[in-house]
């Protein structure tokens, strides 16, 4: 495979991942709305990325650690980067949530990582919404 073909395959893969993540975020937004979660509600974000590239893992950690607590660990051949807004709460409306998901995907792409999982927790009731079990047309 030529470098150009490899780049095209990589780009197409990331386009599918981004479309999937945004579709998942729209499903979560509907669930948040059904549960009366608004931009006034304090929420906690937890998220993770993975990569085979240690430099990419360290790069994304450095960039995101300005606003989130970030940890890295290696399992097998993959580096797993986990982040949280804890102990701080965030407030998001539906559009801000979609933009956050898009931003996380784009940051991941810039470091050769995959934005894989995130959850939103409403701490007062301990209700959690996650993209892990959502199926979309992009699966």
């Amino acid at each position: 495979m030529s470098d150009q073909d490899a780049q095209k395959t990589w780009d197409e893969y990331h386009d599918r991942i981004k479309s999937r993540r945004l579709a998942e975020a729209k499903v979560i937004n509907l669930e948040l709305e059904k549960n009366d979660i608004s931009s006034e509600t304090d929420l906690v974000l937890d998220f993770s990325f993975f990569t085979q590239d240690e430099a990419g893992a360290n790069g994304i950690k450095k960039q995101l650690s300005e606003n989130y607590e970030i940890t890295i660990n290696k399992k097998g051949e993959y580096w797993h980067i986990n982040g949280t807004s804890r102990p701080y709460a965030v407030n998001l409306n539906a559009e801000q949530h979609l933009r956050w998901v898009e931003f996380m995907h784009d940051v991941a792409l810039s470091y050769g990582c995959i934005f894989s999982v995130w959850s939103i927790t409403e701490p007062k009731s301990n209700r959690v919404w996650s993209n892990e079990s959502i199926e979309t047309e992009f699966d």
Side-chain angles (χ1 to χ4, degrees), residues 19-38:
S19 295
R20 182 183 308 155
R21 297 296 170 256
L22 290 171
E24 292 164 346
K26 289 175 184 175
V27 170
I28 291 172
N29 281 345
L30 290 173
E31 288 300 313
L32 294 172
E33 185 179 325
K34 284 182 198 174
N35 285 276
D36 297 322
I37 303 296
S38 72

Side-chain angles (χ1 to χ4, degrees), residues 51-117:
T51 184
Q52 291 181 310
D53 180 39
E54 182 179 9
N58 288 318
I60 202 167
K61 177 183 180 183
K62 183 176 179 183
Q63 180 171 345
L64 294 178
S65 64
E66 193 172 305
N67 295 306
Y68 302 100
E69 292 295 319
I70 305 290
T71 60
I72 297 178
N73 60 59
K74 188 173 185 190
K75 292 180 186 171
E77 61 186 73
Y78 288 97
W79 292 90
H80 296 268
I81 306 96
N82 299 302
T84 185
S85 63
R86 296 171 196 269
Y88 303 105
V90 298
N91 304 99
L92 298 170
N93 64 33
E95 184 60 33
Q96 290 167 325
H97 177 224
L98 289 173
R99 285 195 311 244
W100 180 82
V101 167
E102 187 170 23
F103 169 78
M104 294 305 247
H105 169 82
D106 292 346
V107 167
L109 177 60
S110 71
Y111 290 101
C113 300
I114 302 295
F115 176 47
S116 58
V117 177

Side-chain angles (χ1 to χ4, degrees), residues 3 12 23 42 46 68 83 86 96 101 105 109 114 119 128 136 139:
D3 287 346
E12 288 171 353
D42 287 341
D46 296 292
Y68 302 100
R86 296 171 196 269
Q96 290 167 325
V101 167
H105 169 82
L109 177 60
I114 302 295
S119 64
V128 179
T136 71
D139 289 332

Side-chain angles (χ1 to χ4, degrees), residues 120-132:
I120 298 174
T121 302
E122 195 277 308
K124 287 183 182 176
S125 66
N126 210 29
R127 291 180 293 176
V128 179
W129 296 270
S130 173
N131 74 313
E132 279 188 287

